[in-house]
Amino acid sequence: MQASSVEIRNVSKFYGPFQALRDVNLSIPPGKVTCLIGPSGSGKSTLLRCINFLEDYSAGEIRIDGRMIGYEAPGRRMRGRALREMRRSIGMVFQQFNLWPHMTARENVAEGLIRVRGLSRPDAAGRAADALAKVGLADKMDNHPSRLSGGQQQRVAIARAIAMEPRLMLFDEPTSALDPELVGEVLHVMKALAGEGMTMVVVTHEMGFASHVADQVAFMERGELVGVDTPGRILHQPEDPRIQGFLRTYHERNSF
Amino acid sequence: MDLLQTYGPALLRGFGVTVLCWALGTLFGMTLGLLIALMRHYGPRWLNWIIQVYIEVIRGTPFLVQLFVLYYGGPLIGLRLDAVPAGLLGLTLYGSPYFAEIFRSGFRAVAPGQIEAARAIGMSEPSIVRRILLPLSLVSALPALVNFSIILTKETVILSIITVPELMYQVSRMSAETFRFVEANLVLALFFWGLVETISRLGRRLETRITKHLLERT
């Protein structure tokens, strides 16, 4: 598997007068795990969604393996076909899973293979089965999402993304909607993926995951990227008072 | 009994025409409505504005008037249609804005995340509409679609005034010739009741099928 790199340069985003991203710079090296942390509303999900252009950005550029996403040149929008081409190699996992409820787990995974990769139905079904086996759901293939737990649904969503053989995976708070006892199974699958050398960008509140799996952690607040460094230096010896403050509230909330 | 022997075949034929007009009018109206809803969903703003005018005009005028304009006014602009095609076109145009609004609210009921998930893996918009947006919007739109289709059955009687030989037309003829207004209209009522009952049964069955897997969502 070939892993992508992402370069984010001077990216800003406005919602009307509100500035959601302020001149963000971040390098995401290939094959590494980057965690985005910070308080809610700090712009981490917005930044993540800019990387596959589900959200457009107002200024700056985001390059994936050197190619800018969303714009042909600054100010000139990319055509649909070119954008779809780029998205094919970027997998995304959402907080709310976003599985298609009218399809079984296997159909959810096969859909993109058929419509986007142009695989035949039997080939797609076979690959979907492989992907589902990989996330430990070989026995749930024919279930509809309504018959799966949250953790299982999120694993199907991960299988749906990895079946497309992406070179970059984006995770938008993948465990935030899960009951605590189901978080582990999803993180486990993500760890395995990281172990295979996938480039991963993960917006998360799971400091344990960030601490153990991330190669770098970026802290955001009010649309600004405050600091990016190794997990040790961001999570254990932060220098910026804003990061210290955030971690203090985090620890207070999680202690009993 | 003599009455039935004399007028039975004509009434049956009329009922056939009614069902045909209803079925085709609903099919075409729904299709046009879907196209309108998609244009509003994806199209530019100026198109949306034109569509809105169309919707207001059609919804704001009686079907009877629209049909008159189409059938008797049409030839003035070179649109010469026989009664049945004119009636079908009328029904199609009349139903389309209502169907469009039903589809539009159906689209809005689909969680944006499910569309985003499809975009994120690189699906094209036509695929997304066909595979994700439409099936999921039907879940909330189907009852309203069935309901409006039922309303349309009763609009077909208006086609009789432009001489479409449907049930109402035959019933009027029978009552004019025999003065048996009660019997004639009783037949009309029975036929319609049967038709509506059938449609709503089919609708319910379809609904159960479509929503089967969508219950107990987390």
mmCIF file of all heavy atoms in Angstrom, chain B residues 183-204:
data_model
loop_
_atom_site.group_PDB
_atom_site.id
_atom_site.type_symbol
_atom_site.label_atom_id
_atom_site.label_comp_id
_atom_site.label_asym_id
_atom_site.label_seq_id
_atom_site.Cartn_x
_atom_site.Cartn_y
_atom_site.Cartn_z
ATOM 1 N N GLU B 183 -78.840 5.852 -9.116
ATOM 2 C CA GLU B 183 -78.157 4.607 -9.474
ATOM 3 C C GLU B 183 -76.837 4.901 -10.175
ATOM 4 O O GLU B 183 -75.803 4.304 -9.866
ATOM 5 C CB GLU B 183 -79.037 3.756 -10.406
ATOM 6 C CG GLU B 183 -80.239 3.132 -9.757
ATOM 7 C CD GLU B 183 -81.455 4.059 -9.813
ATOM 8 O OE1 GLU B 183 -81.259 5.285 -9.928
ATOM 9 O OE2 GLU B 183 -82.597 3.553 -9.739
ATOM 10 N N ALA B 184 -76.902 5.831 -11.122
ATOM 11 C CA ALA B 184 -75.708 6.140 -11.898
ATOM 12 C C ALA B 184 -74.569 6.604 -10.992
ATOM 13 O O ALA B 184 -73.434 6.122 -11.082
ATOM 14 C CB ALA B 184 -76.018 7.206 -12.937
ATOM 15 N N ASN B 185 -74.892 7.497 -10.088
ATOM 16 C CA ASN B 185 -73.832 8.019 -9.230
ATOM 17 C C ASN B 185 -73.401 7.032 -8.149
ATOM 18 O O ASN B 185 -72.274 7.079 -7.667
ATOM 19 C CB ASN B 185 -74.250 9.354 -8.623
ATOM 20 C CG ASN B 185 -74.141 10.463 -9.668
ATOM 21 O OD1 ASN B 185 -73.051 10.869 -10.015
ATOM 22 N ND2 ASN B 185 -75.277 10.882 -10.202
ATOM 23 N N LEU B 186 -74.323 6.131 -7.811
ATOM 24 C CA LEU B 186 -73.952 5.073 -6.881
ATOM 25 C C LEU B 186 -72.871 4.185 -7.515
ATOM 26 O O LEU B 186 -71.893 3.803 -6.874
ATOM 27 C CB LEU B 186 -75.184 4.235 -6.540
ATOM 28 C CG LEU B 186 -75.065 3.388 -5.271
ATOM 29 C CD1 LEU B 186 -74.906 4.299 -4.061
ATOM 30 C CD2 LEU B 186 -76.286 2.489 -5.118
ATOM 31 N N VAL B 187 -73.067 3.866 -8.791
ATOM 32 C CA VAL B 187 -72.078 3.079 -9.528
ATOM 33 C C VAL B 187 -70.733 3.797 -9.498
ATOM 34 O O VAL B 187 -69.690 3.213 -9.195
ATOM 35 C CB VAL B 187 -72.529 2.860 -10.989
ATOM 36 C CG1 VAL B 187 -71.380 2.275 -11.816
ATOM 37 C CG2 VAL B 187 -73.731 1.948 -11.035
ATOM 38 N N LEU B 188 -70.786 5.100 -9.787
ATOM 39 C CA LEU B 188 -69.570 5.915 -9.781
ATOM 40 C C LEU B 188 -68.855 5.815 -8.429
ATOM 41 O O LEU B 188 -67.658 5.534 -8.346
ATOM 42 C CB LEU B 188 -69.952 7.374 -10.062
ATOM 43 C CG LEU B 188 -68.802 8.357 -10.168
ATOM 44 C CD1 LEU B 188 -68.178 8.274 -11.542
ATOM 45 C CD2 LEU B 188 -69.292 9.779 -9.908
ATOM 46 N N ALA B 189 -69.634 5.988 -7.367
ATOM 47 C CA ALA B 189 -69.061 5.967 -6.018
ATOM 48 C C ALA B 189 -68.430 4.617 -5.727
ATOM 49 O O ALA B 189 -67.308 4.539 -5.195
ATOM 50 C CB ALA B 189 -70.133 6.288 -4.992
ATOM 51 N N LEU B 190 -69.136 3.530 -6.107
ATOM 52 C CA LEU B 190 -68.625 2.188 -5.830
ATOM 53 C C LEU B 190 -67.302 1.927 -6.555
ATOM 54 O O LEU B 190 -66.342 1.423 -5.965
ATOM 55 C CB LEU B 190 -69.651 1.136 -6.255
ATOM 56 C CG LEU B 190 -70.731 0.858 -5.212
ATOM 57 C CD1 LEU B 190 -71.772 -0.104 -5.776
ATOM 58 C CD2 LEU B 190 -70.113 0.298 -3.932
ATOM 59 N N PHE B 191 -67.287 2.294 -7.820
ATOM 60 C CA PHE B 191 -66.053 2.102 -8.589
ATOM 61 C C PHE B 191 -64.876 2.847 -7.948
ATOM 62 O O PHE B 191 -63.794 2.310 -7.769
ATOM 63 C CB PHE B 191 -66.242 2.587 -10.031
ATOM 64 C CG PHE B 191 -66.739 1.528 -10.964
ATOM 65 C CD1 PHE B 191 -67.892 1.724 -11.733
ATOM 66 C CD2 PHE B 191 -66.060 0.318 -11.081
ATOM 67 C CE1 PHE B 191 -68.354 0.742 -12.603
ATOM 68 C CE2 PHE B 191 -66.507 -0.660 -11.955
ATOM 69 C CZ PHE B 191 -67.667 -0.447 -12.715
ATOM 70 N N PHE B 192 -65.130 4.098 -7.588
ATOM 71 C CA PHE B 192 -64.040 4.894 -7.018
ATOM 72 C C PHE B 192 -63.581 4.361 -5.673
ATOM 73 O O PHE B 192 -62.394 4.295 -5.381
ATOM 74 C CB PHE B 192 -64.447 6.363 -6.900
ATOM 75 C CG PHE B 192 -64.067 7.132 -8.120
ATOM 76 C CD1 PHE B 192 -64.973 7.323 -9.144
ATOM 77 C CD2 PHE B 192 -62.769 7.618 -8.268
ATOM 78 C CE1 PHE B 192 -64.618 7.992 -10.290
ATOM 79 C CE2 PHE B 192 -62.413 8.288 -9.418
ATOM 80 C CZ PHE B 192 -63.340 8.484 -10.434
ATOM 81 N N TRP B 193 -64.573 3.931 -4.889
ATOM 82 C CA TRP B 193 -64.224 3.399 -3.574
ATOM 83 C C TRP B 193 -63.307 2.181 -3.746
ATOM 84 O O TRP B 193 -62.298 2.034 -3.074
ATOM 85 C CB TRP B 193 -65.495 3.021 -2.820
ATOM 86 C CG TRP B 193 -65.215 2.446 -1.476
ATOM 87 C CD1 TRP B 193 -64.716 3.101 -0.395
ATOM 88 C CD2 TRP B 193 -65.388 1.083 -1.095
ATOM 89 N NE1 TRP B 193 -64.567 2.234 0.640
ATOM 90 C CE2 TRP B 193 -64.966 0.992 0.244
ATOM 91 C CE3 TRP B 193 -65.847 -0.065 -1.756
ATOM 92 C CZ2 TRP B 193 -64.992 -0.215 0.940
ATOM 93 C CZ3 TRP B 193 -65.871 -1.251 -1.057
ATOM 94 C CH2 TRP B 193 -65.457 -1.327 0.272
ATOM 95 N N GLY B 194 -63.659 1.326 -4.723
ATOM 96 C CA GLY B 194 -62.846 0.144 -4.988
ATOM 97 C C GLY B 194 -61.433 0.526 -5.417
ATOM 98 O O GLY B 194 -60.442 -0.027 -4.923
ATOM 99 N N LEU B 195 -61.336 1.508 -6.290
ATOM 100 C CA LEU B 195 -60.035 1.924 -6.807
ATOM 101 C C LEU B 195 -59.149 2.483 -5.687
ATOM 102 O O LEU B 195 -57.997 2.081 -5.505
ATOM 103 C CB LEU B 195 -60.236 2.976 -7.909
ATOM 104 C CG LEU B 195 -58.971 3.549 -8.545
ATOM 105 C CD1 LEU B 195 -58.152 2.456 -9.207
ATOM 106 C CD2 LEU B 195 -59.323 4.640 -9.568
ATOM 107 N N VAL B 196 -59.756 3.385 -4.912
ATOM 108 C CA VAL B 196 -58.996 4.036 -3.843
ATOM 109 C C VAL B 196 -58.529 3.014 -2.808
ATOM 110 O O VAL B 196 -57.388 3.027 -2.352
ATOM 111 C CB VAL B 196 -59.853 5.133 -3.178
ATOM 112 C CG1 VAL B 196 -59.241 5.578 -1.866
ATOM 113 C CG2 VAL B 196 -60.020 6.306 -4.129
ATOM 114 N N GLU B 197 -59.443 2.090 -2.468
ATOM 115 C CA GLU B 197 -59.104 1.064 -1.489
ATOM 116 C C GLU B 197 -57.919 0.224 -1.987
ATOM 117 O O GLU B 197 -56.996 -0.083 -1.232
ATOM 118 C CB GLU B 197 -60.344 0.175 -1.265
ATOM 119 C CG GLU B 197 -60.285 -0.710 -0.051
ATOM 120 C CD GLU B 197 -60.064 0.055 1.243
ATOM 121 O OE1 GLU B 197 -60.537 1.206 1.349
ATOM 122 O OE2 GLU B 197 -59.389 -0.486 2.137
ATOM 123 N N THR B 198 -57.950 -0.126 -3.264
ATOM 124 C CA THR B 198 -56.861 -0.923 -3.834
ATOM 125 C C THR B 198 -55.536 -0.174 -3.759
ATOM 126 O O THR B 198 -54.508 -0.722 -3.345
ATOM 127 C CB THR B 198 -57.159 -1.249 -5.319
ATOM 128 O OG1 THR B 198 -58.488 -1.729 -5.405
ATOM 129 C CG2 THR B 198 -56.192 -2.287 -5.847
ATOM 130 N N ILE B 199 -55.578 1.110 -4.168
ATOM 131 C CA ILE B 199 -54.344 1.892 -4.160
ATOM 132 C C ILE B 199 -53.771 2.002 -2.746
ATOM 133 O O ILE B 199 -52.586 1.812 -2.521
ATOM 134 C CB ILE B 199 -54.585 3.311 -4.714
ATOM 135 C CG1 ILE B 199 -55.056 3.236 -6.169
ATOM 136 C CG2 ILE B 199 -53.315 4.140 -4.632
ATOM 137 C CD1 ILE B 199 -55.602 4.548 -6.692
ATOM 138 N N SER B 200 -54.654 2.262 -1.769
ATOM 139 C CA SER B 200 -54.103 2.463 -0.432
ATOM 140 C C SER B 200 -53.570 1.160 0.154
ATOM 141 O O SER B 200 -52.592 1.158 0.895
ATOM 142 C CB SER B 200 -55.120 3.134 0.497
ATOM 143 O OG SER B 200 -56.229 2.315 0.655
ATOM 144 N N ARG B 201 -54.198 0.037 -0.228
ATOM 145 C CA ARG B 201 -53.660 -1.256 0.216
ATOM 146 C C ARG B 201 -52.258 -1.491 -0.364
ATOM 147 O O ARG B 201 -51.327 -1.879 0.339
ATOM 148 C CB ARG B 201 -54.561 -2.401 -0.233
ATOM 149 C CG ARG B 201 -55.464 -2.899 0.842
ATOM 150 C CD ARG B 201 -56.568 -3.740 0.233
ATOM 151 N NE ARG B 201 -57.783 -3.610 1.017
ATOM 152 C CZ ARG B 201 -58.058 -4.409 2.052
ATOM 153 N NH1 ARG B 201 -57.237 -5.372 2.368
ATOM 154 N NH2 ARG B 201 -59.160 -4.241 2.743
ATOM 155 N N LEU B 202 -52.146 -1.243 -1.676
ATOM 156 C CA LEU B 202 -50.848 -1.413 -2.340
ATOM 157 C C LEU B 202 -49.803 -0.500 -1.685
ATOM 158 O O LEU B 202 -48.673 -0.898 -1.433
ATOM 159 C CB LEU B 202 -50.960 -1.074 -3.827
ATOM 160 C CG LEU B 202 -51.630 -2.126 -4.701
ATOM 161 C CD1 LEU B 202 -51.782 -1.615 -6.130
ATOM 162 C CD2 LEU B 202 -50.823 -3.423 -4.678
ATOM 163 N N GLY B 203 -50.226 0.736 -1.417
ATOM 164 C CA GLY B 203 -49.325 1.707 -0.787
ATOM 165 C C GLY B 203 -48.827 1.214 0.558
ATOM 166 O O GLY B 203 -47.636 1.278 0.845
ATOM 167 N N ARG B 204 -49.756 0.681 1.361
ATOM 168 C CA ARG B 204 -49.343 0.205 2.682
ATOM 169 C C ARG B 204 -48.356 -0.942 2.581
ATOM 170 O O ARG B 204 -47.394 -1.037 3.324
ATOM 171 C CB ARG B 204 -50.570 -0.224 3.488
ATOM 172 C CG ARG B 204 -51.175 0.925 4.289
ATOM 173 C CD ARG B 204 -52.059 0.394 5.401
ATOM 174 N NE ARG B 204 -53.190 -0.370 4.889
ATOM 175 C CZ ARG B 204 -54.348 0.188 4.527
ATOM 176 N NH1 ARG B 204 -54.516 1.484 4.615
ATOM 177 N NH2 ARG B 204 -55.333 -0.565 4.078
#
